[in-house]
Amino acid sequence: MSQRVKGVIARAKGAPVEVTTIVVPDPGPGEAVVKVQACGVCHTDLHYREGGINDEFPFLLGHEAAGIVESVGTGVTDVAPGDFVVLNWRAVCGNCRACNRGKPWYCFATHNATQKMTLEDGTALSPALGIGAFAEKTLVHAGQCTKVDPEARAAAVGLLGCGVMAGVGAAINTGGVTRGDSVAVIGCGGVGDGAVVGAALAGATTIIAIDTDDQKLEWAKGFGATHTVNARDADVVEAVRALTGGHGADVVVEAVGRPETYKQAFYARDLAGTVVLVGVPTPDMTIELPLLDVFGRGGALKSSWYGDCLPSRDFPLLTELYRQGRLDLDAFVTEEIHLDQVEDAFAKMHAGGVLRSVVIL
């Protein structure tokens, strides 16, 4: 039988979100119903509300979550009722050309649940990133459930479902940061601080955090930044060069997603360095660079989608590092809130006063 639970939806572009009753069907083949325990308030959810992703309203928001599998449909073997899972939005298919080439993190045919969750009047909901976890329970494809250590705190490890993983993966998986490297991170929100953490875990010796907000720079220092640069007060490119012997950083992670900050990243890297774009630009943004500079500087210009992660590999590993005290996921949690406080959390996000608000259910 379908279930009626509370969830947070966005009915129209720019309209305040609201808590309402949603209908969650029983899981069909390959699907699972998850009782959500915690879900982070990510900037992507705000993008959905503002119509920046698509116009398939109403949206069931929330995607950065952890919880307990309540029930599964036929054919599901990797998870079972009672499993503690982090939800992911890259459920790989195993059969597309990327998967067959041994690069499943580029999977071109990721899975979502086939059935739709709805409002009580039958209106179909579009779940954010195929998850929709600002809800007491949600329906997902079973491949979107990644089992992790059940002793881990849901509010902390749920953040691996998006922002923290995107940042850590941008540094390690995409940027290839290794011991002794110099790394600069432009933009020190949740994703950028994840990149700072990733660089520290990989053994980088110089980690430069760059932002226009002194509070965010302080947070970045707590995550392992060795130097900070306030972009309001200094030339970012010159500052990075000054901190790297005049050369530029081996890896620069751009976690803002704007043309001006991407140009800073491009020129702040060493001649054979790597730029990783993990900040999400809007569709109207363009960039112009001298082609001779692109050619003459060498190195690599990369984009990182979800930190090029493989959830089945990376989520349990990072959860174990958290359990060992080597990855302080708790420090990302600025506040714990209720479902009816999501709109307030968006306002705090705009003001820059939080690293992550986490809804506890």
Side-chain angles (χ1 to χ4, degrees), residues 312-333:
S312 60
R313 174 196 66 195
D314 294 336
F315 288 9
L317 168 63
L318 294 178
T319 299
E320 181 58 25
L321 292 178
Y322 166 67
R323 293 271 294 136
Q324 293 175 5
R326 297 165 62 191
L327 172 56
D328 189 2
L329 294 175
D330 291 311
F332 284 88
V333 182

Side-chain angles (χ1 to χ4, degrees), residues 32-51:
V33 169
V34 175
K35 186 180 186 301
V36 180
Q37 293 182 317
C39 185
V41 181
C42 177
H43 206 277
T44 302
D45 294 304
L46 184 58
H47 277 319
Y48 273 103
R49 195 200 73 174
E50 296 300 308

Side-chain angles (χ1 to χ4, degrees), residues 10-251:
R11 287 189 186 271
K13 182 177 179 179
V17 300
E18 61 182 272
V19 179
T20 190
T21 299
I22 66 170
V23 180
V24 181
D26 283 345
E31 296 175 341
V33 169
V34 175
K35 186 180 186 301
V36 180
Q37 293 182 317
C39 185
V41 181
C42 177
H43 206 277
T44 302
D45 294 304
L46 184 58
H47 277 319
Y48 273 103
R49 195 200 73 174
E50 296 300 308
I53 306 294
N54 57 55
D55 61 356
E56 297 173 5
F57 291 92
F59 292 111
L60 175 59
L61 301 179
H63 60 279
E64 197 177 67
I68 303 294
V69 175
E70 180 181 85
S71 58
V72 299
T74 59
V76 175
T77 58
D78 289 340
V79 294
D83 285 342
F84 178 58
V85 297
V86 174
L87 299 182
N88 75 79
W89 45 271
R90 296 286 287 162
V92 301
C93 73
N95 296 308
C96 71
R97 60 192 186 279
C99 290
N100 287 333
R101 289 173 179 168
K103 298 180 178 180
W105 49 89
Y106 292 137
C107 179
F108 301 119
T110 56
H111 297 302
N112 290 322
T114 301
Q115 298 182 90
K116 288 288 189 180
M117 291 177 280
T118 68
L119 298 176
E120 287 189 290
D121 64 4
T123 301
L125 292 166
S126 299
L129 291 174
I131 292 177
F134 287 156
E136 294 166 328
K137 297 179 183 180
T138 190
L139 175 77
V140 295
H141 190 281
Q144 295 178 276
C145 300
T146 305
K147 288 192 292 186
V148 298
D149 189 328
E151 295 301 314
R153 193 167 78 95
V157 295
L159 303 184
L160 297 175
C162 190
V164 173
M165 184 70 255
V168 171
I172 297 177
N173 296 336
T174 313
V177 176
T178 190
R179 59 190 181 277
D181 276 352
S182 58
V183 179
V185 178
I186 302 177
C188 296
V191 174
D193 280 343
V196 170
V197 167
L201 285 172
T205 50
T206 301
I207 305 172
I208 306 164
I210 302 159
D211 205 286
T212 58
D213 186 318
D214 286 333
Q215 175 60 69
K216 290 184 178 180
L217 293 174
E218 281 299 311
W219 283 332
K221 286 168 65 176
F223 288 115
T226 59
H227 304 80
T228 61
V229 174
N230 189 313
R232 293 189 187 277
D233 305 327
D235 181 294
V236 168
V237 175
E238 292 305 317
V240 172
R241 287 178 178 169
L243 293 167
T244 54
H247 306 299
D250 296 310
V251 180

Side-chain angles (χ1 to χ4, degrees), residues 234-318:
D235 181 294
V236 168
V237 175
E238 292 305 317
V240 172
R241 287 178 178 169
L243 293 167
T244 54
H247 306 299
D250 296 310
V251 180
V252 183
V253 178
E254 202 279 55
V256 180
R258 295 192 59 83
E260 57 268 32
T261 45
Y262 187 84
K263 285 185 178 180
Q264 290 172 340
F266 180 83
Y267 287 108
R269 67 182 176 129
D270 199 356
L271 283 177
T274 298
V275 173
V276 178
L277 175 64
V278 67
V280 182
T282 58
D284 60 307
M285 290 180 180
T286 60
I287 190 166
E288 184 175 324
L289 288 168
L291 192 57
L292 184 61
D293 285 358
V294 176
F295 172 78
R297 296 182 67 83
L301 306 178
K302 298 182 175 183
S303 60
S304 182
W305 199 36
Y306 209 0
D308 287 342
C309 79
L310 186 59
S312 60
R313 174 196 66 195
D314 294 336
F315 288 9
L317 168 63
L318 294 178

